[in-house]
């Protein structure tokens, strides 16, 4: 493991530093993730926000997910790079899109979720634990 992690958007207006390891790293093939990824899945690490410092202007867009939860996507207000996700049912933790980290070290997805919404051409690593839909929320740390 390699914390702290640093990252930034394409234009550099938003940057982040994270001083802890993620709770999990997942790949998501849901229809909404495929929109923000503009093709394939998103790859996301869930971090506690108290270990995260974000500078710059993050814009948020929220919607009701298939799970019924309010999900919000955070992106650079200037260049539009998708950086964060938060779930109203999960206080105190945000997902960070792996691609915005300067060096993600050995962070890699351990599971693939919403595989039922993957396109026919998708190749999903058979070593990943797979869920057709949303897996249950992980146990809280507190
Ligand atoms: Zn930017
Ligand atoms: Zn998704």
């Amino acid at each position: 493991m390699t914390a702290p992690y640093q990252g930034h958007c394409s234009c550099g207006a938003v940057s982040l530093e994270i001083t802890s390891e993620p709770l999990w790293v997942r790949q998501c093939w849901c229809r909404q993730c495929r929109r923000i990824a503009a093709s394939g899945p998103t790859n996301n690490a869930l971090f506690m926000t108290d270990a995260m410092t974000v500078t710059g202007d993050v814009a948020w867009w929220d919607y009701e997910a298939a799970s019924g939860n309010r999900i919000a996507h955070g992106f650079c207000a200037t260049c539009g790079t998708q950086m964060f996700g938060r779930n109203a049912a999960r206080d105190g933790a945000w997902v960070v899109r792996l691609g915005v980290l300067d060096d993600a070290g050995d962070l890699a997805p351990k599971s693939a979720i919403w595989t039922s919404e993957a396109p026919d051409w998708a190749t999903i690593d058979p070593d990943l634990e797979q869920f057709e839909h949303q897996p249950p929320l992980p146990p809280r740390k507190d």
Side-chain angles (χ1 to χ4, degrees):
M1 296 297 183
T2 56
Y5 299 95
Q6 282 94 27
H8 57 84
C9 64
S10 296
C11 76
V14 178
S15 60
L16 65 139
E17 170 150 314
I18 307 161
T19 56
S20 69
E21 297 299 334
L23 282 70
W24 47 248
V25 184
R26 283 178 183 162
Q27 180 173 89
C28 184
W29 288 91
C30 83
R31 196 65 193 80
Q32 188 55 35
C33 280
R34 290 175 50 215
R35 281 193 191 93
I36 65 171
S39 60
T42 59
N43 291 283
N44 308 294
L46 182 71
F47 290 98
M48 300 305 290
T49 50
D50 58 10
M52 196 185 302
T53 304
V54 177
T55 55
D57 188 9
V58 178
W60 292 92
W61 175 75
D62 74 302
Y63 69 103
E64 186 173 321
S67 60
N69 294 323
R70 292 303 293 183
I71 304 284
H73 293 162
F75 49 93
C76 172
T78 301
C79 71
T81 301
Q82 291 284 341
M83 303 183 74
F84 307 107
R86 65 185 185 203
N87 182 335
R90 192 179 56 210
D91 278 343
W94 291 359
V95 301
V96 175
R97 314 296 177 198
L98 278 194
V100 303
L101 298 178
D102 297 335
D103 179 0
D106 59 2
L107 298 183
K110 298 286 188 292
S111 58
I113 68 172
W114 287 101
T115 58
S116 61
E117 298 195 357
D120 291 343
W121 50 259
T123 302
I124 301 174
D125 184 343
D127 289 341
L128 299 182
E129 186 178 12
Q130 295 191 21
F131 297 87
E132 285 190 4
H133 302 287
Q134 183 74 26
L137 288 175
R140 302 185 67 96
K141 268 194 157 177
D142 54 6

